Structure formats: structure tokens, C-alpha cells
Amino acid sequence: MSCSVARRIEWGTVSSISPASAIDPIAEAAPLSLCAREPHVPADRLVAEMVPPPRFDSVRFATYIPDPNQPSQTEAVGVLEAFAAGLGGAHAVGAPKRRLFGFGKAAPKTPAGPRGVYLDGGYGVGKTHLLASLWHATPADPSLKAFGTFVELTNLVGALGFQKTVQTLSEHRLLCIDEFELDDPGDTVLVSTLLGKLVDAGVALAATSNTLPGKLGEGRFAAADFLREIQGLSARFRPLRIDGEDYRHRGLPEAPAPFSDEQVTKAAYATGGASLDDFPHLLGHLARVHPSRYGALTDGIEAVCLTDVQPVPDQSTALRLVVLADRLYDREVPVLASGMPFDRLFSEEMLNGGYRKKYFRAISRLTALARDAKGLVNDRA
């Protein structure tokens, strides 16, 4: 039995599909179904998966090409290389681990001076590239470094609890937070408190951030706003300005026209490792799976096929879809869909509200994945 067939048997199949006459005869088995999956992810896996996304596996400082007209980009590379090289001390490879209750060797003092860097710059200047390069360059075992988005970090706290998250991440030498989001005051306070405890434990921090609501036209968040929002942590961060052309005003790409239900279903059966789900049912299923497990939900999936795409009905559902879109984008999983185009997923009220940046990001990413999926139909036309 092939691995792909075994996976399909393990996870089950979609509950509602098109008639057999629409199925491609080359299919070896029915497609997978995201709705049939309810992954239970152990805490150690949640933390172990906090690494740069696959699309940033190979990035390094050497692969970042600074714009010769923007000297701050070259300066940023030098500062970050030095920052990575200097991350020794309490959590160095082979160093004695800290004891939770004060027994054993005393914990080394936290080094003086900033133990964090904040990458301040517009879109398209390579902040995530540099952040991932910092993670790769830090001289520590991958188990002692963590990389994730702000949303992934809040989801980790939701899955493990605050104290367990502090305990788990306190042994790390570096925590990289991409897209630090400040549109939810409660989450901002939660993460700021978490980071304060991690800094006290000797963990170095690095972050990029998103724009505050009402400042989207600026195309960047600005270090002063970031440092003000994290309040007591501001002295721990060194702002690092990265100038460059700002791509924020380029607008959203036009979403590809959806395919028919029959085309999507046929492609799902003809594509090894593809999933096939009714979109409204999938949205309902996401409410039953913790967002921290959405990565595991897509394990082994080579393409996501969705029928009957409709506008999302409410904000909670929309925010869960944003997380799923991020996980699919990180894993470069193409998305083939019927129904409405992805640029009509969110209402005007949502797109004008406090979470609009998240929704625009989801539209942009799903649109890119939809373009990647066009060949699943065209190759078999």
C-alpha cells in the first residue's frame, strides 16, 4: 500500500462528493478531507514546529541582497550578524539548564543591555527574510530557538496555558516573532507579559510588526509605536530601521475566477494527496479544532480543493480562516476552489474594521495559492 493511500485510509474521505461519472479514472483512491481530521498535537510538537516556514528554509544573511541605494539594509545585516554571534550565555549549547525551583547550579545573570531587536521597515524590504536569517545564524541547536508569528505565539499560550508556555520557552536562547500584531489590546498585554518573563529568564528576542489600525496608509508600523505598545519591554529592544521601497500601495491582486464544482472534484480525485471539502462545512470544522493545530490539520496535504466558497459569516469564523490561510501559505499548498472568488470572502465591514490587515493578508495569500492551483485543472483539461 502506498503512503498516500495509507494516509487517505487513516484520515477518511469527504462526506459529500460529485457523482462517480465526474471522477477521473486515473485516481487511485478518494481524496482526503480536512473535515475528517481532528489532530491531537502534543505540547512538545507545538514548540518544535516553531521554526521558519519552509519557504524560508534556505534563506541566510548571505542570500539577502541589500539595495545599494538603501545603506540601512546593509547596516541591518551587519547588526543582526553580530547580534546572532553574541547570543551566548545562559542557554548556549551544552550549558547547564536552569532549574525551575532553585536547585542545582545558579542561573547566570541576564546580560546587560538590549536583548532584543525590532526590525522597523515597510513592506517588501525583506524583514521576514532577515528574521529567519537571524534564527538560522544563531549558534544554538534548533530546539533552543523558536520562530513564529504573533498569532502562533498567542495560539501556543492558548493551547499550553501561560505558565507552561513560560516554562517551555524559558530554556530557549532566541524567540523570533514575525508580524507582531497590536490590533487586540488583550493579546498585546498577554504577549508583552510573556516576553517580559522570557527576557528575565535570559531569552533574546527579535520581532517585526504590523501596522496599527488607522495607519495602514503609512505602509509600516514605526518603531516608536511598537515600543510604546510594549511599554516596560521597550528598553529591551534595539530598533533597527530598514529603509526601502514600500509596496503597501500596490493593492490586492485580482483573485482568479473560481472553477466549477465538477472541475474541482475531478482535480481532487486526480491529484495525489489532495483534500476535498465543502467550504461551509470546513469553516464549521475549524471551530472544533484549536488554531494551534491547523498546521497538523494540513499534514501530508499536497493540494486543498474547496467547493461552494461563500463569504464568511462572522468575525470569529473569519479570524480562524486567516490562521488556516497562513498555515497553507507557509507550506505552499495550492488551493483550488469553486463558488465565490477569494477577494469576496470578507464583508466591507470586516475590511474596514480593526482586523482588516489580517483579512487583506488572507485574501492576498489565498489568491496566490489559487494561482498556484490553476495547473491542477489545466493540466488535465
Side-chain angles (χ1 to χ4, degrees):
M1 181 183 296
S2 72
C3 291
S4 60
V5 173
R7 287 197 302 268
R8 289 165 184 158
I9 292 175
E10 175 187 358
W11 290 107
T13 60
V14 70
S15 59
S16 177
I17 60 174
S18 297
S21 60
I23 299 172
D24 194 307
I26 68 171
E28 61 182 60
L32 304 161
S33 170
L34 297 179
C35 291
R37 296 181 163 197
E38 295 185 10
H40 298 282
V41 184
D44 56 351
R45 174 178 168 178
L46 290 176
V47 178
E49 288 185 340
M50 292 189 70
V51 298
R55 63 178 62 243
F56 293 101
D57 280 346
S58 61
V59 302
R60 299 293 187 273
F61 289 127
T63 64
Y64 180 81
I65 309 300
D67 184 339
N69 297 316
Q70 302 292 347
S72 64
Q73 295 185 9
T74 300
E75 180 185 1
V77 172
V79 171
L80 290 172
E81 285 179 326
F83 184 75
L87 291 181
H91 304 315
V93 177
K97 289 191 173 182
R98 301 163 64 92
R99 300 300 182 92
L100 292 178
F101 302 106
F103 301 107
K105 187 174 180 178
K109 293 181 180 179
T110 302
R115 289 284 289 172
V117 290
Y118 165 65
L119 308 187
D120 176 31
Y123 292 84
V125 299
K127 296 193 304 297
T128 301
H129 183 136
L130 290 172
L131 192 67
S133 298
L134 173 64
W135 187 93
H136 288 299
T138 296
D141 187 87
S143 65
L144 297 178
K145 301 181 286 187
F147 183 108
T149 64
F150 179 88
V151 171
E152 288 177 297
L153 188 59
T154 57
N155 287 340
L156 182 69
V157 176
L160 302 185
F162 184 83
Q163 294 300 332
K164 179 65 174 177
T165 303
V166 172
Q167 177 185 342
T168 301
L169 294 180
S170 288
E171 297 296 339
H172 285 57
R173 289 180 60 201
L174 174 69
L175 171 62
C176 296
I177 308 169
D178 199 21
E179 300 176 346
F180 201 112
E181 298 181 355
L182 301 170
D183 47 18
D184 186 316
D187 283 347
T188 301
V189 172
L190 172 70
V191 173
S192 294
T193 305
L194 170 65
L195 297 185
K197 297 208 176 273
L198 295 182
V199 168
D200 289 343
V203 181
L205 307 174
T208 70
S209 67
N210 275 334
T211 312
L212 275 175
K215 296 191 176 183
L216 294 180
E218 295 181 9
R220 51 187 295 274
F221 177 69
D225 295 327
F226 173 78
L227 297 176
R228 181 176 61 250
E229 291 295 325
I230 62 174
Q231 298 178 9
L233 277 176
S234 60
R236 306 287 194 174
F237 280 89
R238 171 182 176 175
L240 193 58
R241 179 71 178 268
I242 306 171
D243 294 306
E245 183 181 355
D246 188 342
Y247 293 98
R248 179 64 182 90
H249 300 289
R250 65 188 174 186
L252 287 171
E254 184 178 354
F259 294 95
S260 68
D261 285 355
E262 182 177 355
Q263 286 174 306
V264 171
T265 301
K266 186 175 181 180
Y269 273 81
T271 303
S275 65
L276 176 61
D277 291 280
D278 171 75
F279 185 70
H281 289 168
L282 176 60
L283 294 183
H285 184 64
L286 293 180
R288 297 187 290 273
V289 179
H290 193 277
S292 65
R293 299 172 180 170
Y294 287 4
L297 191 69
T298 65
D299 280 352
I301 298 294
E302 300 297 331
V304 167
C305 297
L306 301 171
T307 58
D308 194 24
V309 171
Q310 303 175 11
V312 293
D314 56 70
Q315 191 113 269
S316 296
T317 302
L319 292 173
R320 287 191 289 267
L321 181 60
V322 168
V323 178
L324 179 63
D326 286 343
R327 301 293 78 77
L328 293 174
Y329 185 78
D330 288 345
R331 291 159 174 76
E332 301 179 305
V333 179
V335 179
L336 190 72
S338 67
M340 286 190 170
F342 289 132
D343 55 11
R344 296 172 61 187
L345 280 173
F346 306 107
S347 68
E348 286 298 318
E349 181 180 3
M350 291 179 183
L351 294 178
N352 290 320
Y355 296 113
R356 55 182 176 256
K357 268 194 63 63
K358 295 182 180 181
Y359 300 145
F360 280 120
R361 184 178 77 233
I363 292 171
S364 178
R365 292 184 167 185
L366 288 172
T367 295
L369 297 177
R371 287 177 171 167
D372 292 342
K374 290 176 67 176
L376 299 179
V377 171
N378 295 342
D379 290 347
R380 296 170 176 83

